[in-house]
Amino acid sequence: MTSTNSALIMLAAGIGIPVLAALNAALGQRLGSPVAAGVILFLVALATTSVVFLVSGASLKGALSAPPHLFLAGTLVAFYVLTITWVAPTFGVGNAVFFVLIGQLISAAIIDHFGLFGAAHHPLTWARAGGIGVMAAGVFLTQIAGRA
């Protein structure tokens, strides 16, 4: 897969995050329960990933021998979905995603700098830190401009 294809796929995933937040927040309000909306989201996600899993011919062989900390990802995605579903209706999707993005920038820089969890090692240079700062400032400015 080329870098361009990877970038476009991740751009699409990024576009989907606020849409996911808005849709699940609306479902949570309709149901009167962000937790119920989260359960429905994960049932649909399980069905979707199960179909892709079966079609792809992938295997779960080795899952039982994986280090337990690798399964924390499921808890983190549940935390994200439940919190965005609960917070977005009152805080706003834009505000909620703003703080998620800032958290992602910080976390990604730390993971890359130290090569955590088997990630490629990309040191946090002053130039890279400045770029992250500019990105954070840009996200912040979009929120201020939205209120003007």
Side-chain angles (χ1 to χ4, degrees):
M1 181 178 302
T2 67
S3 293
T4 301
N5 288 342
S6 295
L8 291 173
I9 289 168
M10 295 317 302
L11 178 64
I15 290 168
I17 289 173
V19 174
L20 174 158
L23 292 173
N24 221 49
L27 180 60
Q29 286 188 311
R30 178 175 284 262
L31 298 176
S33 171
V35 176
V39 168
I40 291 170
L41 178 138
F42 283 109
L43 289 173
V44 172
L46 176 62
T48 303
T49 54
S50 294
V51 168
V52 173
F53 175 78
L54 293 171
V55 170
S56 73
S59 170
L60 293 176
K61 186 174 73 177
L64 294 178
S65 63
H69 72 275
L70 297 181
F71 297 100
L72 178 62
T75 301
L76 292 172
V77 76
F79 176 74
Y80 169 74
V81 166
L82 292 172
T83 56
I84 200 87
T85 302
W86 179 58
V87 170
T90 55
F91 193 51
V93 171
N95 288 332
V97 171
F98 164 75
F99 283 100
V100 167
L101 286 172
I102 297 302
Q104 287 177 330
L105 291 172
I106 293 167
S107 180
I110 292 168
I111 291 168
D112 283 353
H113 181 73
F114 294 105
L116 300 175
F117 315 116
H121 179 252
H122 297 284
L124 183 60
T125 62
W126 283 108
R128 193 156 188 244
I132 292 168
V134 168
M135 289 173 64
V139 173
F140 176 74
L141 287 173
T142 64
Q143 292 305 300
I144 290 175
R147 294 187 188 127

